[in-house]
C-alpha cells in the first residue's frame, strides 16, 4: 500500500509535472513566439537603426559639404567685398584726382580770363585815352578852323560892308545946300 501510494503520488506528481511541462511548453512556445516577434522587431529596429545611421552619416556628410560650401561662399563674399571696396576706393581716388585737376584747370582758366580781361581793359583804356586826345585835338582844330572861318567871314563881311558903304557913297547924289 505504501508502494501504491508512492506510485500514485508519483503518478500524480508525474501527471502534475506533465501538466506543468505542458503548461511550461505552451508558455515556452508563447515566449518563443514573443521572442521571435521581438527578434523580428529587433531585426527591423536594427535595420531601421542601420538605415538611420546611414542616413545620419549621409546627412552629416551633406552638412559637412554644406558647411564647406558656406565657408567657401563666405570667403568668396569677403573677397568680393574687399575687391568692391578697393574698386570703390580706386574710383573715388580717380574722381578726386580728376576733380582736383578740373579745379586747377578752372583756376588757370580764371587767371587767364582775368589776364585777358586786364589786357583788354588796358588796351581799351589806351585806345580810349588816345581817342580822347584825338578828340581834344580835333576839338582844338575845329575851334581854330571855326575861328579862322569866323575871322575870314568877318573880314569878308567887313570888306563887303565897306564896299557897300563906299558904293552907296558913290552912287548917292550929293545934296546941295541951299
Amino acid at each position: 500500500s505504501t508502494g501504491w501510494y508512492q506510485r500514485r503520488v508519483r503518478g500524480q506528481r508525474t501527471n502534475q509535472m506533465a501538466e506543468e511541462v505542458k503548461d511550461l511548453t505552451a508558455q515556452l512556445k508563447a515566449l518563443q513566439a514573443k521572442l521571435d516577434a521581438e527578434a523580428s522587431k529587433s531585426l527591423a529596429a536594427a535595420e531601421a537603426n542601420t538605415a538611420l545611421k546611414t542616413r545620419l552619416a549621409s546627412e552629416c556628410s551633406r552638412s559637412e559639404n554644406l558647411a564647406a560650401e558656406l565657408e567657401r561662399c563666405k570667403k568668396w563674399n569677403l573677397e568680393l567685398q574687399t575687391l568692391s571696396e578697393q574698386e570703390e576706393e580706386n574710383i573715388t581716388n580717380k574722381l578726386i584726382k580728376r576733380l582736383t585737376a578740373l579745379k586747377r584747370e578752372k583756376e588757370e582758366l580764371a587767371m587767364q580770363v582775368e589776364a585777358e580781361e586786364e589786357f583788354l581793359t588796358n588796351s581799351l583804356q589806351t585806345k580810349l585815352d588816345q581817342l580822347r586826345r584825338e578828340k581834344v585835338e580835333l576839338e582844338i582844330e575845329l575851334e581854330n578852323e571855326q575861328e579862322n572861318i569866323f575871322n575870314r567871314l568877318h573880314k569878308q563881311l567887313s570888306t563887303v560892308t565897306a564896299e557897300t558903304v563906299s558904293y552907296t557913297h558913290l552912287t548917292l547924289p550929293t545934296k546941295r545946300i541951299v
Side-chain angles (χ1 to χ4, degrees):
S1 58
T2 28
W4 175 80
Y5 179 74
Q6 284 180 347
R7 276 189 288 216
R8 190 170 175 203
V9 169
R10 246 193 266 165
Q12 281 178 352
R13 271 184 164 181
T14 305
N15 284 342
Q16 220 180 10
M17 283 174 98
E19 283 294 321
E20 283 179 12
V21 168
K22 200 177 182 185
D23 284 342
L24 286 175
T25 304
Q27 284 179 1
L28 183 61
K29 283 183 182 178
L31 284 174
Q32 186 65 40
K34 274 187 173 182
L35 182 62
D36 288 344
E38 288 299 319
S40 178
K41 283 182 184 178
S42 177
L43 183 60
E47 288 174 358
N49 190 20
T50 304
L52 285 174
K53 283 182 179 179
T54 304
R55 187 171 175 201
L56 177 63
S58 172
E59 289 298 321
C60 285
S61 175
R62 184 171 177 247
S63 176
E64 288 172 2
N65 289 339
L66 288 174
E69 180 68 22
L70 178 63
E71 194 59 35
R72 282 192 303 275
C73 286
K74 284 180 179 179
K75 285 181 181 177
W76 185 61
N77 187 23
L78 183 62
E79 289 174 7
L80 284 177
Q81 188 175 4
T82 303
L83 286 174
S84 175
E85 287 173 1
Q86 287 174 348
E87 186 64 24
E88 285 176 7
E89 189 173 337
N90 287 339
I91 290 170
T92 302
N93 289 339
K94 284 179 185 177
L95 288 174
I96 288 172
K97 285 179 184 177
R98 188 168 180 202
L99 183 62
T100 304
L102 287 173
K103 282 181 181 177
R104 233 181 290 129
E105 187 178 335
K106 180 183 173 186
E107 288 171 0
E108 288 173 4
L109 286 173
M111 288 172 45
Q112 288 175 357
V113 165
E114 187 178 332
E116 185 69 24
E117 285 176 350
E118 189 174 331
F119 172 76
L120 288 173
T121 301
N122 290 341
S123 262
L124 290 173
Q125 188 62 44
T126 304
K127 287 182 181 180
L128 182 62
D129 291 343
Q130 183 181 353
L131 286 173
R132 284 183 181 155
R133 282 191 304 272
E134 287 177 6
K135 179 185 170 197
V136 168
E137 289 173 3
L138 285 174
E139 285 174 348
I140 291 171
E141 191 177 319
L142 178 64
E143 238 179 76
N144 288 339
E145 187 67 30
Q146 284 176 345
E147 194 175 324
N148 286 338
I149 291 172
F150 179 77
N151 289 339
R152 191 174 62 227
L153 287 176
H154 186 53
K155 204 183 219 181
Q156 287 176 353
L157 184 62
S158 295
T159 306
V160 167
T161 306
E163 286 177 0
T164 306
V165 167
S166 137
Y167 180 72
T168 308
H169 280 293
L170 291 175
T171 55
L172 283 177
T174 41
K175 289 187 181 179
R176 291 190 189 166
I177 304 178
V178 184

